[in-house]
């Protein structure tokens, strides 16, 4: 009696999609920060179900090959070897990592001439058009951060066009102008009456303020003033020699 060798099972459809996308990235057809076709376009291209395409994109995102921004699109990720000198996580990612829900309320999203302080911070001339945003980030409906950010409009011209209920300024800026250098200044402060109201804290409650400046290549991309209620935030780091 002759025994036949069992045939190997065909690869699942989502693996086929993953392999072909990975090959396009590896060969340089799709470069870091390139926007790839949408789920609907990939469904039409491959003829597979949307669930299959979604799984392929989700797994490639988990593996660090893609970056997905809700309401914006899916992009080729920056290779780890060329990533920032240090990693600054989005507050939305921090909250999600705790298994909690994040949402954001945008208070100000505007184009304005830089005043003297903003111009000095961004290293532009006073009166230069910049973008300015103020928003409050929530964790499970509790306010945990006021973000007051100024952005170099020449580097990120589409900043005002983004839906920050679907993504965060940090996530969008990291995609368009990848971080190569950053500076943190941390201090304990008393919040203003308006800030206390936004954070739902008492006027004598301590707050933690982080002033964050980020560069892409040799240019300053943004400066953010991040204010946290002291009772709801802990600054933590891990170092090794």
């Amino acid at each position: 009696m002759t025994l036949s060798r069992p045939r190997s099972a065909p690869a699942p459809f989502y693996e086929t999609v993953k392999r072909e996308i990975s090959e396009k990235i590896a060969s340089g057809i799709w470069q870091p920060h390139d926007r790839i076709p949408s789920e609907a376009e990939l469904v039409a291209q491959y003829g597979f179900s949307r669930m299959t395409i979604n799984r392929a994109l989700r797994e490639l995102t988990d593996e660090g090959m893609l970056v997905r921004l809700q309401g914006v699109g899916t992009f080729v990720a920056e290779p780890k070897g060329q990533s920032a000198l240090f990693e600054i996580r989005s507050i939305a990612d921090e909250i999600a990592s705790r298994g909690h829900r994040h949402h954001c309320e945008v208070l100000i999203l505007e184009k304005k001439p830089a005043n003297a302080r903003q111009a000095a911070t961004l290293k532009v001339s006073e009166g230069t058009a910049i973008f300015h945003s103020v928003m409050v980030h929530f964790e499970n409906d509790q306010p945990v951060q006021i973000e007051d950010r100024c952005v170099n409009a020449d580097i990120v011209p589409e900043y005002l066009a983004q839906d920050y209920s679907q993504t965060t300024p940090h996530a969008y800026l990291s995609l368009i102008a990848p971080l190569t250098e950053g500076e943190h200044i941390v201090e304990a402060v008393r919040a203003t009456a308006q800030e206390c109201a936004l954070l739902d804290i008492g006027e004598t409650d301590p707050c933690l303020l982080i002033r964050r400046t980020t560069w892409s290549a040799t240019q300053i991309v943004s400066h953010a003033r991040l204010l946290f209620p002291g009772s709801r935030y802990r600054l933590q780091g891990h170092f090794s020699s």
Side-chain angles (χ1 to χ4, degrees), residues 158-179:
E158 300 300 319
Y159 181 77
L160 298 185
Q162 308 312 307
D163 181 359
Y164 293 113
S165 68
Q166 300 296 321
T167 187
T168 64
H170 170 78
Y172 179 68
L173 293 173
S174 296
L175 177 68
I176 302 302
L179 174 69

Side-chain angles (χ1 to χ4, degrees), residues 117-222:
R117 178 182 56 81
Q118 293 163 337
T121 299
L122 294 177
K123 297 293 189 283
V124 298
S125 300
E126 187 173 353
T128 298
I130 64 169
F131 298 139
H132 176 227
S133 60
V134 179
M135 51 195 73
V136 182
H137 295 277
F138 292 78
E139 181 169 357
N140 291 344
D141 298 322
Q142 186 175 54
V144 293
Q145 184 197 89
I146 298 174
E147 174 187 332
D148 188 335
R149 185 183 295 269
C150 293
V151 177
N152 187 318
D154 289 338
I155 300 175
V156 195
E158 300 300 319
Y159 181 77
L160 298 185
Q162 308 312 307
D163 181 359
Y164 293 113
S165 68
Q166 300 296 321
T167 187
T168 64
H170 170 78
Y172 179 68
L173 293 173
S174 296
L175 177 68
I176 302 302
L179 174 69
T180 57
E181 185 179 351
E183 178 184 74
H184 273 171
I185 298 174
V186 183
E187 57 185 311
V189 300
R190 291 275 292 273
T192 67
Q194 181 183 21
E195 290 168 338
C196 289
L198 290 173
L199 292 173
D200 192 22
I201 59 175
E203 293 192 10
T204 60
D205 290 356
C207 289
L208 182 69
L209 176 65
I210 297 178
R211 301 181 192 273
R212 176 187 294 168
T213 304
T214 54
W215 284 257
S216 186
T218 60
Q219 293 181 294
I220 295 177
V221 176
S222 79

